[in-house]
């Protein structure tokens, strides 16, 4: 399917449909029917930078995109993809936030000291573990579901193994 816009990520709604949050932080979610190619729009309360569905259940989680300065992301639990329940705010000035393989830990991208930095952020303790620092901007696309590999996009697709020295 050819899409005429960029989406932050995608998640399976069922075996025939995908859910896609738009890249421009607008309060919408898109639903792509893989059989017909029809892309429908749903208006939601907040802009989302990422959505995920929990394994083995119908529970949805999302990262609420920043819409004020300084940037502040919120983790939300969604029901019917329109309701939002705030769990926490992330202080500081993050550039991007993505789900990791570990519940309660997020992949945080920040720009600091002329470097883009990727860290594992623990939502309970607020601690950060630095994974990668690079002068070029990158985006976390998807963590692997079974091992520590993380798919990144810079000018090409890259795999990061945070257990190895980079």
């Amino acid at each position: 399917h050819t899409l005429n816009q960029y989406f932050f990520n995608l998640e399976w709604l069922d075996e025939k449909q995908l859910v896609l949050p738009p890249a421009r932080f607008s309060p919408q979610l898109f639903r792509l029917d893989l059989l017909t190619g029809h892309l429908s729009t749903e208006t939601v309360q907040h802009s989302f930078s990422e959505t995920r569905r929990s394994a083995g259940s119908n529970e949805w989680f999302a990262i609420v995109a920043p819409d004020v300065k300084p940037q502040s992301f919120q983790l939300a639990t969604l029901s019917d993809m329109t309701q939002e329940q705030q769990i926490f705010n992330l202080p500081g000035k993050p550039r991007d936030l993505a789900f990791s393989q570990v519940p309660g830990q997020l992949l945080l991208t920040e720009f600091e000291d002329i470097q883009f930095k990727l860290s594992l952020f623990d939502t309970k303790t607020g601690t950060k573990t630095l994974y990668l620092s690079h002068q070029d901007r990158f985006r976390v696309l998807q963590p692997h579901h079974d091992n520590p590999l993380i798919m990144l996009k810079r000018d090409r697709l890259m795999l990061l193994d945070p257990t190895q020295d980079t």
Side-chain angles (χ1 to χ4, degrees):
H1 295 280
T2 303
L3 301 172
N4 61 1
Q5 62 180 305
Y6 176 76
F7 294 98
F8 272 140
N9 79 304
L10 58 87
E11 184 62 61
W12 290 97
L13 181 60
D14 56 35
E15 62 277 350
K16 298 174 187 166
Q17 297 181 90
L18 298 174
V19 173
L20 309 124
R24 292 198 169 100
F25 293 141
S26 59
Q28 298 175 320
L29 288 174
F30 290 85
R31 187 182 301 219
L32 175 63
D33 184 310
L34 295 172
L35 297 178
T36 66
H38 178 70
L39 188 66
S40 61
T41 306
E42 293 186 37
T43 302
V44 291
Q45 185 178 2
H46 295 283
S47 303
F48 299 114
S49 66
E50 186 163 346
T51 57
R52 287 286 178 254
R53 190 176 186 171
S54 64
S57 79
N58 230 2
E59 193 168 31
W60 285 82
F61 299 90
I63 295 173
V64 179
D67 55 4
V68 294
K69 302 279 184 207
Q71 291 183 350
S72 176
F73 289 85
Q74 300 172 341
L75 194 61
T77 302
L78 303 174
S79 30
D80 296 293
M81 296 177 49
T82 57
Q83 308 270 322
E84 183 253 339
Q85 174 190 356
Q86 180 176 326
I87 298 174
F88 78 98
N89 286 328
L90 181 64
K93 294 188 177 185
R95 292 290 216 163
D96 193 21
L97 199 59
F99 290 105
S100 75
Q101 301 94 328
V102 181
Q105 296 183 342
L106 302 171
L107 296 167
L108 171 64
T109 305
E110 298 173 289
F111 184 71
E112 184 178 274
D113 302 324
I114 66 166
Q115 295 279 310
F116 290 91
K117 297 180 179 183
L118 177 64
S119 301
L120 185 66
F121 176 76
D122 189 302
T123 61
K124 291 182 180 73
T125 65
T127 58
K128 294 187 282 188
T129 305
L130 183 65
Y131 278 172
L132 173 69
S133 182
H134 201 278
Q135 64 190 20
D136 295 331
R137 186 173 186 153
F138 55 83
R139 176 152 178 79
V140 173
L141 294 180
Q142 185 87 24
H144 193 279
H145 57 86
D146 286 334
N147 63 50
L149 294 175
I150 302 168
M151 176 76 70
L152 301 174
K153 180 183 179 196
R154 201 166 66 206
D155 53 352
R156 62 192 181 280
L157 293 178
M158 301 169 43
L159 277 177
L160 171 69
D161 185 347
T163 63
Q164 304 294 313
D165 289 335
T166 55

